[in-house]
Amino acid sequence: MVGGNAIRGTRVGAGPSGESERGESAPRRRISYWCANGHEARPSFSMDAEIPDEWDCPRCGLPGGQDEKNPPAAPRTEPYKTHLAYVKERRSDADGEAILAEALERLRQRRELI
């Protein structure tokens, strides 16, 4: 005897099989989207659904558009910036020197009090 599993071959939560038992599916239409790499994605939408202008390519992740000859450009990825790089964008070297001098002066004054 192989085991007492009465629901062998089905998964938990599976509903009745067959469209006759589930009801009719809504009418659908397939829309083609092309990415910059030339991949085509064809998701299906309900006939009364609003069709998006762009759809992410399932193969490469780039955005795809409905115009095969003119797909949307790949988004520009910004390189990782360190905290120091962001600080240097906000402050000039002269500002940094002034802030450092002020902080050192406060530190020296505290040490004199001790």
Side-chain angles (χ1 to χ4, degrees), residues 47-101:
M47 293 298 272
D48 56 347
E50 184 177 330
I51 306 300
D53 293 332
E54 291 187 358
W55 191 264
D56 289 342
C57 177
R59 289 179 63 189
C60 63
L62 293 176
Q66 294 180 27
D67 184 6
E68 183 178 7
K69 304 283 190 245
N70 190 17
R76 184 168 181 255
T77 55
E78 293 291 326
Y80 174 77
K81 289 184 186 178
T82 63
H83 175 70
L84 182 60
Y86 283 109
V87 170
K88 286 183 175 183
E89 283 181 358
R90 292 192 315 263
R91 306 212 187 269
S92 68
D93 288 342
D95 290 341
E97 292 292 331
I99 292 170
L100 179 62

Side-chain angles (χ1 to χ4, degrees), residues 15-35:
S17 59
E19 193 170 296
S20 63
E21 295 173 4
R22 285 180 290 176
E24 293 183 26
S25 59
R28 309 197 61 76
R29 62 179 161 175
R30 288 197 169 273
I31 306 294
S32 292
Y33 292 91
W34 288 272
C35 70

